[in-house]
Amino acid sequence: MAKASGLGQSVLSVDDASGTVKDIKNDITNWQLSTPRGVQEITGVDKSAIERLLLLADVSVTYNGVFNAATGLSHDVFKTVPSTSVNRTCTNTVNGVTLAFECLFSDYQLTRANSGELTWSAPGSLADGTVPTWA
């Protein structure tokens, strides 16, 4: 597939605390995914430019959405973040390419804006040491 927008053709699913996959893409309004690598500077005094080695791989995600308390949707998935310590599989598929990884969510933030909107944000980080790989 050639260049594409982020419109349509998306799969955004997250396991609930019991490990059941939940498709919550209808509740998500925007998301951010990062796959950074650690870097170690190894420059010797004989160099005129910096040398580096790549270290451990990581992945983090933040999903943002509209509050939805219906069974099996976003609030049902994230309401247990403060009370459970379980890995959750996150699957992001955009335009036919998928990144799936085990994630620990560290927060489930609700925001009620002065205009009346009720939204949420859920940041997560790699949990199991498996290198994130796009398929």
Side-chain angles (χ1 to χ4, degrees):
M1 179 172 263
K3 294 178 183 177
S5 72
L7 301 176
Q9 303 179 13
S10 294
V11 172
L12 297 171
S13 63
V14 178
D15 287 359
D16 63 15
S18 69
T20 303
V21 176
K22 301 294 182 179
D23 179 0
I24 60 171
K25 71 181 174 195
N26 186 255
D27 294 347
I28 296 174
T29 58
N30 60 76
W31 52 276
Q32 179 179 358
L33 182 71
S34 178
T35 54
R37 295 281 305 264
V39 178
Q40 178 183 0
E41 187 177 315
I42 59 164
T43 309
V45 294
D46 62 333
K47 299 292 189 248
S48 297
I50 295 174
E51 288 180 290
R52 294 183 176 96
L53 291 176
L54 284 175
L55 302 175
L56 297 174
D58 199 2
V59 63
S60 63
V61 67
T62 300
Y63 297 118
N64 301 291
V66 177
F67 186 82
N68 187 345
T71 301
L73 294 177
S74 59
H75 180 67
D76 223 15
V77 169
F78 295 117
K79 69 184 180 184
T80 57
V81 166
S83 60
T84 61
S85 299
V86 296
N87 293 1
R88 298 163 189 253
T89 302
C90 296
T91 304
N92 291 38
T93 301
V94 180
N95 295 304
V97 292
T98 299
L99 181 64
F101 55 94
E102 291 298 306
C103 183
L104 286 173
F105 283 92
S106 57
D107 200 0
Y108 174 47
Q109 307 160 4
L110 295 179
T111 302
R112 194 280 190 186
N114 61 2
S115 58
E117 297 142 343
L118 184 58
T119 59
W120 56 266
S121 180
S125 299
L126 184 65
D128 68 350
T130 302
V131 175
T133 305
W134 287 94

